[in-house]
């Protein structure tokens, strides 16, 4: 069995690993939120631009302006699709970071459990030693009282 110092070192390393994993998980969750916000912004901008396009069509629009509107709408559609891909990638990364955090947390908890068991075993041995000393002391006193 590992010594107490070795177990403390392993627990400290596992604690650091868990903290680092938690930070990475937090950063990946933030990236997901930011990607979703950017997507919402692009979708809103596209909707606004589509309304402007409809209004321009009703007011009368030149063929050149029509092509420009259409080209820009296509670019916005590509940007929206690209942002959806970014969201998927950020969510995938977030799931990976969550799994890594869970694994490091399980490792940390395992070391903690081992430490608790070692402490309980040490306490049990100490109690056994104390009981043995008290029994010997009681036996000596009983012997001398005779």
């Amino acid at each position: 069995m590992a010594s107490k110092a070795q177990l403390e070192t392993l627990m400290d390393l596992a604690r650091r690993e868990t903290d680092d994993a938690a930070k990475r998980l937090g950063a990946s969750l933030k990236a997901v939120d930011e990607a979703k916000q950017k997507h919402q912004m692009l979708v809103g901008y596209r909707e606004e631009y589509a309304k402007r396009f409809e209004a321009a069509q009703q007011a009368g629009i030149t063929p050149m302006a029509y092509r420009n509107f259409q080209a820009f709408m296509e670019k916005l559609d590509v940007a929206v699709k690209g942002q959806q891909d970014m969201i998927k990638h950020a969510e995938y990364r977030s799931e990976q970071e969550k799994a890594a955090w869970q694994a490091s947390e399980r490792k940390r908890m395992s070391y903690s459990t081992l430490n608790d068991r070692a402490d309980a075993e040490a306490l049990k041995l100490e109690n056994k030693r104390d009981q043995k000393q008290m029994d010997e002391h009681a036996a000596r006193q009983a012997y001398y009282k005779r």
Side-chain angles (χ1 to χ4, degrees), residues 6-86:
Q6 290 171 328
L7 196 52
E8 289 290 332
T9 300
L10 289 173
M11 285 176 52
D12 187 47
L13 290 172
R15 204 173 301 117
R16 286 184 201 163
E17 182 181 323
T18 300
D19 290 346
D20 289 345
K23 287 175 188 172
R24 287 191 311 272
L25 176 58
S28 69
L29 290 173
K30 183 179 177 187
V32 169
D33 286 343
E34 289 173 354
K36 286 181 179 180
Q37 287 174 3
K38 189 171 183 181
H39 178 261
Q40 286 299 323
M41 181 193 71
L42 285 169
V43 167
Y45 187 63
R46 189 201 181 286
E47 289 171 359
E48 179 186 320
Y49 200 75
K51 287 177 187 174
R52 273 199 250 156
F53 179 59
E54 286 177 26
Q57 278 183 316
Q58 289 176 356
I61 189 170
T62 66
M64 178 76 138
Y66 180 83
R67 279 192 299 273
N68 288 341
F69 266 112
Q70 285 296 99
F72 191 68
M73 289 293 283
E74 287 175 11
K75 287 180 182 178
L76 280 174
D77 288 339
V78 169
V80 168
K81 173 70 172 101
Q83 195 58 37
Q84 287 172 331
D85 293 343
M86 291 293 288

Side-chain angles (χ1 to χ4, degrees), residues 10-11 13-22 24-25 94-112:
L10 289 173
M11 285 176 52
L13 290 172
R15 204 173 301 117
R16 286 184 201 163
E17 182 181 323
T18 300
D19 290 346
D20 289 345
R24 287 191 311 272
L25 176 58
S94 177
E95 287 300 316
Q96 287 180 318
E97 293 298 346
K98 181 180 177 185
W101 173 77
Q102 288 172 332
S104 61
E105 181 66 9
R106 275 193 301 276
K107 183 195 287 187
R108 187 190 66 76
M109 292 300 291
S110 295
Y111 289 139
S112 180

